Amino acid sequence: MQKTLSGRDQAVIWHPYTQMQTAPAPIGIVRGEGALLFDEAGNSYVDATSSWWVNIHGHAHPYITEKLAEQARQLHHCIFAGYTHEPAVQLAERLLPILPGRQQKLFYSDNGSTAVEVAMKMTIQYWHNKGEKRGRLLAFRNAYHGDTFGAMSVSARSVFTRAFDDYLFNVSFLDLPTEGNINHLLEEVDALAGDTAAFIFEPLVQGAGGMVMYEAPLLDKLLQHCRQRNILLIADEIMTGFGRTGTNFAMEQVSTPPDIITLSKGLTGGTMAMGITTCTEDIYAAFLSSDKLKTLFHGHSFTANPLTCAVALASLELFLQPACRQNRERIAARHRQFAVELAYQEDVKQVRSLGTILAFEIVTGEADSYINDLSGFLHAFFREKRVMLRPLGNTLYILPPYCITDAQLDEVYASVLEMLRAYGGKWN
């Protein structure tokens, strides 16, 4: 008897963020189309979280597939130290002008965590190259910037980092800005400014921390204050970039431009892995010298892979079309309507939406957290309904591909309401 894909997987694979002893067998996916994924038995699933927030145009998009095939017939890979190629140059030429602020140079890596690592190394070495001793980094409490050691260091000390906390470098953490604490935050920045290299933040939405949303004017006030104290600003747009918050990039909603931007996830339309770190001319200039020790000694074997650059270019073309903007506006409007309905549900709290993101907490007798026991019930329920929703503990969020249809959104919303009826406060 032939084994299923799911069964073969269990014999050889270790999955991310998964307790392998207790997790149910993974669903074997064999193909995708639009907002749907299909398993080995032919069942379809609505991808309501864009496969970890990466797939913005839909699965197996024909235009992206065409551009990937064209590039595959010309050049698969080329060392990117001392050599270059058309897809890498063209992507930089097209992306830099639409980014917030005065982004002038682009550094390629291969995922979101490494894009963050590059950004941190840029800022720390920036001050080193200038002969100033500034080694402190600022970040928000509850932040998540990735799973490599530098990225973990500027992330909240949490279940993601607990086993490694003793190995992480010290970072000063600030609360998210509110009307009540903003003046205190500015005082905290003043006290730390002397030796602070940079402030890294997720603009407007903290993703893995629970889709926590905060106000742009307050962020802007904090960023302006940091800028006045010569603290470099790293905007982590890995999740918020490419339209998630209602604008092309979340930093378009504040007036203070970042010095550095990190990008990944939606960058290639969810097709291939890529990370990008961009910076201003001032950052770049600090590394120009006859002294080779002022070089940014960082790189990856697959830096600027031509195939990946080609699909990123194709995704960018689709993203900038009016139809994509109209779809994002449609989803945002539908989310706002559903948020009103959710607010009347007995076991729901803190309903919030921004752009194509809708999130809320389900009330339980436990603390709101990633390891809240409710997550097992939620996973099982939505798997049975064939709706791909992956809760963050008792936080449920909907973050779909922009191609999702109204009928598919209705199916997702209906499954959420059905889940709340089935839940009925059992964990209160």
Side-chain angles (χ1 to χ4, degrees), residues 15 399 405 418 422:
H15 285 267
L399 198 155
T405 66
E418 187 176 349

Side-chain angles (χ1 to χ4, degrees), residues 1-13:
M1 181 177 177
Q2 187 176 9
K3 288 185 177 180
T4 65
L5 179 60
S6 178
R8 290 164 53 207
D9 172 286
Q10 288 183 293
V12 293
I13 301 295

Side-chain angles (χ1 to χ4, degrees), residues 50-71:
S50 302
S51 289
W52 260 342
W53 324 340
V54 301
N55 191 286
I56 60 177
H57 304 301
H59 297 280
H61 194 285
Y63 183 70
I64 295 177
T65 302
E66 174 189 338
K67 292 301 180 181
L68 174 60
E70 286 180 9
Q71 183 59 45

